[in-house]
Amino acid sequence: MWDDAFPSFLIGLREGLEAGLIVSVLVATLVRAGARSRLPQVWTGVLAAIALSMSFGAVLTFTAASLSTTAQEAFGGTLSIVAVAFVTAMVFWMRRSARGFAGEVKEKVTEALAMGAGVLVLTSFLAVGREGLETALFLWTTARAANESAGPLTGAGIGLVLAAALCWGLYRRVLRINLTRFFTATGVVLIVIAAGVLGYGLRDLQEGTVLPGGTAYAFDLSGSVDAGAWYSTLLQGVLNLTPAMTWLQVAGYVGYLAVVMTLFVRGVRGVRERSGAGVPARAGAGAGADEAVAGGKRADAPPAVPSVTPPAAPPSATERPAAPPSAAEPPSVPTTASTRRRPAWLIPVAVVAVPALLAGLVVALAHPKPAAGETIAVSETDCGQGFTAPEPGRQDFLMHNTGNQTSEVYLIDPSSNAVYGEIEGLAPGTTRDLVATVAGGTYAWRCVPADGRAVTSKAVRVGGAAGAHAVVPVSERDLAAPLKAYRAYVDRGLATLVTQTRKLSDDIRAGRLGTARADWLTAHRTYASLGAAYGTFEDFDQKIDGRPDGLPDGVHDKDFTGFLRIEYGLWHGEPASGLKGVAQQLAEDSAGLRKAFPHQDFDSSDLPLRAHEILENTLQFELTGDTDQGSGTGLATADANLAGTRELLLVLKPLLTTRAPRLLLTVDADIARLQKLLDSAHHGTGWTPVDRLDRAAKARLDGATGQLLEDLSPVPDLLEVRKSA
């Protein structure tokens, strides 16, 4: 998470420090001018700026969520480039202004004191609001690049808290910080990060079809680079460098970095040359004239302004002895009993409520609302009643079951049966929302009662360009060929298993326990590679590969049989005489399973589910060591499970290629990455036990498996069998 958090931490620290220093100067200037009564006006402006920034972030988040996938990419890419422009401008502005911005702020405060409360509120609002809006935009951009992880928010929060602590220390004169050096160093790092954000934004614009070249890759190392390794995570999280980048991304990244970094470094040198020719810093002020001076305060003196200007410069008007209060503020008007005083809480509440209400209004307008009467009937007789051509965009349909049976309902393209949205198990008399994105094309509703025939409503035409995402459904007939191929694979595997378990039984009967250990692993890996068929093996699976969990006597229970029971005996010094019966029973159960398998029911809809479930079990049992009974071969079993997953995807490939071709490319890269990690734990005939993996290797293995599971998760939905009319 820290890899995703670092860019936001840095922007939070920089922007927070800039805003905090401005507020510190504002407060200190008012205190020195004897105008403490005006401090609430400063805090009101600060509060308004914070409310505006948070509201801006909410508008970005919810507005993007209401767009189609293609529009989201274009929107996000555009804002990424805007964020890069803002950050670049901020870096150059602070490089120029770090040495003298406190004097500018104090001058504005002095003018505001003479012009009334509203001007002082506006001064603090504008000073802090700019930093807040920049922070909100950059944070939204980095959060989107991090796939909505908690890292960016965490990093920004830590950065802002640290910035507040530094500003407090500078204000109280307990810290000494060379601000010029600080902003220069962080500026260099931010330029590198901004180059990555620019590359990410350009890729978004390509995926949103705004820019060309989306398939013109400068390099694609996804098949050879371990994306789960620490260095890959670091490069992608901090610098937005990915294993595959297009030529446009590379050109944007390199070009931005070369131009902006050169200009920044030249500007820094120019500032140093000019400052070197100026008045030397006061003794004890530190290496930089912009360094905040430490020291205590006299009991009768107000807090000093955190100085970032050359100490040798003439004192400003606000640094001279403060004028009497009457000179800084007009005398207050005596109030009478009839004079109405405005409540003190009114303005702070208003400055928070107004941005929040405006943001809510923008978000509400950004979400398309169903037209009047857009409640859609669901039943055999009324399917689709109330459906009129919707506007393109994100739509929220109210589906009401008017029949007497629980039904499924799909929003489809009637020409291809592609599904745009669905609800399962809609009970009679109930209403549920179905949210779908609509673009140019033809749409209809398909209602499927539990015990009735499927009915398709009248189609409507929506104008505009196509682009809504749909899933082309599969039928049981579509899955017939993959199922036949997979059953043949399992049958061959069971034939091999019978031979291997008989050899294992012969080894144990003859007392060849060393050979038996090697043959046990071979046979167990064969069984583990048939993982997709577990659901059809019925009681045989418990007999052949059951765990001792839940048995009254655990590993010593009479009902603990099969591979894991033999494993426990072979690796815990049990004599061959005690294992003969168990090994013989395993061989018989394997032969019985092979005989029964052709007659067992294997539901075709189970195939897509198993694509995900095999490795779910691997992550839960093998990679935790839960099933290890002493052999330390959990990773060998995981390797066999991966082989079974690969075989299953091979038979499903024709269906997945037409529905999600990019998904297969991603999954293939994930499998190659996980295979490489497993191979690194295989040494000749031995495997590294799970409990002996170092922490980093275990984390990489879990991460690669988890990523593969995440990328496989759409398969059941893509290949779900849906009833058609």
Side-chain angles (χ1 to χ4, degrees):
M1 185 177 70
W2 177 244
D3 304 307
D4 293 333
F6 179 73
S8 296
F9 163 77
L10 188 61
I11 200 72
L13 177 61
R14 269 193 64 112
E15 298 280 11
L17 191 55
E18 289 178 28
L21 287 173
I22 293 172
V23 173
S24 298
V25 173
L26 287 171
V27 171
T29 303
L30 290 176
V31 170
R32 294 190 58 147
R36 289 180 179 270
S37 62
R38 308 288 288 274
L39 288 178
Q41 298 165 15
V42 173
W43 296 120
T44 298
V46 171
L47 191 62
I50 294 173
L52 178 65
S53 302
M54 296 181 69
S55 299
F56 179 57
V59 168
L60 291 179
T61 301
F62 290 106
T63 300
S66 69
L67 301 174
S68 66
T69 302
T70 302
Q72 284 185 33
E73 300 293 348
F75 182 71
T78 302
L79 289 185
S80 294
I81 294 176
V82 173
V84 170
F86 280 172
V87 170
T88 306
M90 176 264 292
V91 166
F92 279 88
W93 175 79
M94 184 49 75
R95 186 206 68 194
R96 295 191 304 268
S97 306
R99 298 178 60 86
F101 85 105
E104 298 175 7
V105 174
K106 287 187 285 183
E107 182 178 349
K108 292 179 180 178
V109 174
T110 303
E111 296 173 357
L113 280 172
M115 297 178 67
V119 177
L120 189 55
V121 171
L122 184 62
T123 299
S124 59
F125 170 77
L126 293 177
V128 179
R130 190 192 69 143
E131 319 298 338
L133 292 176
E134 288 178 357
T135 303
L137 178 57
F138 194 85
L139 180 59
W140 183 85
T141 303
T142 54
R144 190 171 183 273
N147 296 318
E148 312 299 335
S149 78
L153 285 175
T154 303
I158 296 173
L160 291 171
V161 170
L162 181 58
L166 291 175
C167 289
W168 180 88
L170 290 171
Y171 178 78
R172 304 300 298 179
R173 297 277 184 134
V174 296
L175 285 179
R176 299 165 61 93
I177 297 177
N178 190 314
L179 295 177
T180 297
R181 291 181 180 176
F182 171 82
F183 286 118
T184 298
T186 55
V188 170
V189 179
L190 272 178
I191 289 172
V192 176
I193 291 173
V197 174
L198 176 62
Y200 178 84
L202 292 174
R203 181 57 182 165
D204 274 353
L205 290 175
Q206 288 179 317
E207 292 181 349
T209 68
V210 176
L211 294 177
T215 58
Y217 287 97
F219 57 84
D220 186 354
L221 306 177
S222 55
S224 56
V225 173
D226 179 10
W230 67 268
Y231 53 84
S232 299
T233 306
L234 182 66
L235 289 175
Q236 186 162 346
V238 176
L239 305 180
N240 273 305
L241 293 176
T242 58
M245 295 182 70
T246 64
W247 283 107
L248 181 61
Q249 284 182 278
V250 173
Y253 185 93
V254 174
Y256 173 88
L257 203 57
V259 173
V260 176
M261 188 67 78
T262 300
L263 293 175
F264 184 79
V265 172
R266 286 180 179 176
V268 170
R269 290 175 179 172
V271 170
R272 287 177 178 173
E273 291 172 359
R274 289 193 299 273
S275 63
V279 181
R282 181 177 53 196
D290 57 332
E291 185 173 13
V293 182
K297 299 178 294 180
R298 296 195 312 271
D300 58 342
V305 179
S307 174
V308 290
T309 54
S316 64
T318 56
E319 291 176 330
R320 299 189 184 102
S326 58
E329 301 181 36
S332 60
V333 178
T335 60
T336 64
S338 60
T339 303
R340 293 185 177 180
R341 296 180 61 89
R342 187 166 50 204
W345 52 264
L346 182 60
I347 294 180
V349 169
V351 299
V352 173
V354 170
L357 289 174
L358 291 175
L361 181 62
V362 172
V363 170
L365 293 176
H367 284 258
K369 299 295 181 183
E374 203 64 8
T375 298
I376 314 298
V378 178
S379 73
E380 277 190 276
T381 57
D382 302 330
C383 185
Q385 280 192 11
F387 183 44
T388 57
E391 293 294 326
R394 183 177 179 272
Q395 298 293 336
D396 189 354
F397 301 102
L398 301 177
M399 311 307 300
H400 179 66
N401 190 340
T402 59
N404 55 10
Q405 294 186 58
T406 298
S407 297
E408 297 177 1
V409 60
Y410 308 107
L411 178 62
I412 66 168
D413 177 349
S415 63
S416 65
N417 289 325
V419 177
Y420 295 95
E422 63 184 296
I423 292 178
E424 297 181 355
L426 182 62
T430 60
T431 302
R432 284 163 58 185
D433 287 354
L434 188 153
V435 179
T437 299
V438 175
T442 304
Y443 298 85
W445 294 100
R446 177 161 294 155
C447 305
V448 187
D451 297 316
R453 64 184 183 89
V455 178
T456 302
S457 73
K458 181 181 178 181
V460 300
R461 178 75 186 174
V462 176
H469 177 69
V471 175
V472 179
V474 299
S475 64
E476 291 188 2
R477 185 170 62 180
D478 294 328
L479 286 170
L483 179 59
K484 181 179 179 180
Y486 194 74
R487 288 185 71 102
Y489 162 77
V490 173
D491 191 62
R492 293 192 300 270
L494 289 176
T496 302
L497 179 68
V498 170
T499 301
Q500 292 171 343
T501 53
R502 284 175 179 169
K503 187 175 187 302
L504 173 61
S505 179
D506 291 342
D507 291 338
I508 293 177
R509 185 184 303 110
R512 299 188 295 267
L513 298 186
T515 304
R517 292 188 184 94
D519 289 341
W520 173 90
L521 180 58
T522 301
H524 191 236
R525 280 169 54 82
T526 297
Y527 185 78
S529 68
L530 310 178
Y534 287 169
T536 65
F537 288 170
E538 299 174 352
D539 294 339
F540 283 103
D541 184 50
Q542 180 62 31
K543 296 176 183 177
I544 293 174
D545 204 34
R547 297 185 299 275
D549 305 350
L551 296 177
D553 296 324
V555 295
H556 303 293
D557 196 277
K558 61 181 179 60
D559 292 328
F560 181 33
T561 60
F563 278 112
L564 300 189
R565 171 66 181 87
I566 296 174
E567 177 188 7
Y568 181 84
L570 287 175
W571 274 271
H572 283 83
E574 191 170 341
S577 59
L579 294 174
K580 288 180 181 178
V582 182
Q584 179 62 33
Q585 186 62 49
L586 174 61
E588 293 175 1
D589 288 336
S590 298
L593 173 58
R594 187 196 177 193
K595 182 178 180 180
F597 178 70
H599 310 288
Q600 291 176 331
D601 182 27
F602 198 149
D603 191 341
S604 58
S605 63
D606 282 347
L607 278 180
L609 291 172
R610 295 295 185 268
H612 190 265
E613 289 178 350
I614 298 174
L615 291 177
E616 270 189 341
N617 289 338
T618 303
L619 190 62
Q620 181 180 359
F621 299 116
E622 274 69 39
L623 296 187
T624 60
D626 184 72
T627 56
D628 185 16
Q629 301 300 321
S631 67
T633 58
L635 295 185
T637 305
D639 182 71
N641 289 337
L642 184 61
T645 301
R646 189 184 288 110
E647 184 67 30
L648 180 60
L649 290 172
L650 183 63
V651 301
L652 294 175
K653 185 175 182 178
L655 296 176
L656 290 172
T657 299
T658 58
R659 289 164 174 81
R662 294 185 63 180
L663 174 65
L664 282 176
L665 294 175
T666 302
V667 168
D668 286 344
D670 291 342
I671 289 177
R673 185 180 310 122
L674 180 55
Q675 187 67 66
K676 183 178 179 181
L677 293 173
L678 290 171
D679 289 345
S680 67
H682 188 195
H683 315 287
T685 59
W687 292 78
T688 303
V690 172
D691 59 3
R692 294 185 187 175
L693 291 171
D694 62 67
R695 183 176 299 179
K698 180 65 166 58
R700 288 195 294 270
L701 195 59
D702 289 344
T705 307
Q707 184 62 55
L708 176 54
L709 278 170
E710 182 178 340
D711 291 333
L712 284 172
S713 60
V715 172
D717 288 334
L718 289 170
L719 303 184
E720 180 183 354
V721 176
R722 294 176 172 91
K723 187 176 179 181
S724 60

